[in-house]
Amino acid sequence: MLQHEVIVRKGWSWGLLPLLAAALVACGSEEDDGAGGKEEPLGPARVVFAVENLDLLGPVTVQALGRTWVFAPTEGGEAAVTECGEDAVEVEAEEIAVTATSQAGFEWEFTRSLRRGECNVVPVSLENPTTAILAYTFVHLWDLGQEVRLDGEKVGEVEDIVEDQDLWWLERVFEAECCRQVARRLLLELGSAGKAVLVVVPPGTYEIERPGPGGDVVTESVELLPGHVGYLVVDTF
């Protein structure tokens, strides 16, 4: 009699991590230099964007300050990091609103405080997306080409089983509960290698269908919260 076991590793939920910062306190009193001791006003903030993991995300479109930037992957490159040069945008505001989308389905929406008179490199990476990601991997396959469907619509096909070494790394990352960017990249790498089906969607509750033993279809209800990441290992034996 065929049996199957589904092992679920739910993604952890991160709150705001404690922000550790050193406060620099300026000591002393203002000297009367005849000008009232007023400080010179700081210049505008300069802004550039650093978009990482383009090798897996594909082209990323960033919108901010009424402008649009498109970052495309380069051969052999994993990230596009821009330094404050002639392409930097000068901003008088104290913060900016940023939205972005990637070819792989990730989305970003956040605000970023700016430091006036300085270079502000604004990251768009796997560390801070608003979309959720869930990966389905199979340790056994009845045959190659096992499909996974979202609300009855095909979202991907597993071409190969996940190996013990891959599962070991996933376990270690999830146990650490600190490395969401690493976890997302690992899952994207498995998806790129055909060893996982990735579901990258806006937050919500979804009905996920996958093949079960003997060709049966198994349906599961999965809640994906903003920024959550997780994976599910399916053993069809």
Side-chain angles (χ1 to χ4, degrees), residues 3-9 134-142 146-148 158 160-162 167 170 195-197 208-213 216-218 220 231-237:
Q3 296 181 344
H4 72 278
E5 180 182 3
V6 177
I7 306 170
V8 179
R9 289 283 301 181
L134 179 69
Y136 280 74
T137 61
F138 289 74
V139 294
H140 298 99
L141 296 178
W142 288 103
Q146 299 248 317
E147 295 182 354
V148 175
V158 177
D160 197 1
I161 63 172
V162 63
L167 290 177
L170 283 172
K195 297 180 179 181
V197 170
I208 307 291
E209 302 171 357
R210 60 170 179 77
D216 294 335
V217 175
V218 178
E220 301 168 63
Y231 69 97
L232 186 145
V233 180
V234 180
D235 187 342
T236 55
F237 285 166

Side-chain angles (χ1 to χ4, degrees), residues 39-53:
E39 296 180 359
E40 290 292 328
L42 296 174
R46 288 167 293 147
V47 174
V48 293
F49 297 95
V51 184
E52 301 177 353
N53 300 289

Side-chain angles (χ1 to χ4, degrees), residues 21-183:
L24 301 179
V25 180
C27 301
S29 59
E30 294 183 354
E31 296 182 3
D32 185 1
D33 56 2
K38 295 181 179 179
E39 296 180 359
E40 290 292 328
L42 296 174
R46 288 167 293 147
V47 174
V48 293
F49 297 95
V51 184
E52 301 177 353
N53 300 289
L54 286 170
D55 57 326
L56 294 172
L57 292 174
V60 173
T61 301
V62 178
Q63 293 181 315
L65 304 168
R67 297 178 55 178
T68 299
W69 292 263
V70 178
F71 296 85
T74 58
E75 185 176 353
E78 295 182 357
V81 178
T82 307
E83 297 180 354
C84 274
E86 61 182 17
D87 294 331
V89 179
E90 293 190 347
V91 182
E92 294 289 350
E94 299 295 328
E95 66 177 21
I96 59 171
V98 180
T99 60
T101 58
S102 79
Q103 188 179 66
F106 285 89
E107 298 178 0
W108 295 262
E109 185 174 352
F110 60 92
T111 58
R112 178 85 173 192
S113 298
L114 302 178
R115 303 181 304 277
R116 294 183 62 86
E118 299 182 25
C119 174
N120 294 259
V121 179
V122 179
V124 178
S125 71
L126 291 175
E127 182 69 21
N128 61 339
T130 53
T131 40
I133 177 174
L134 179 69
Y136 280 74
T137 61
F138 289 74
V139 294
H140 298 99
L141 296 178
W142 288 103
D143 51 43
L144 294 180
Q146 299 248 317
E147 295 182 354
V148 175
R149 295 176 175 270
L150 170 63
D151 292 334
E153 202 172 305
K154 180 178 175 181
V155 293
E157 187 173 296
V158 177
E159 301 172 1
D160 197 1
I161 63 172
V162 63
E163 298 172 0
D164 290 342
Q165 182 178 358
D166 296 322
L167 290 177
W168 186 88
W169 277 112
L170 283 172
E171 289 286 339
R172 301 292 82 74
V173 171
F174 272 73
E175 286 175 359
E177 296 189 359
C178 67
C179 314
R180 45 191 163 173
Q181 182 163 341
V182 175

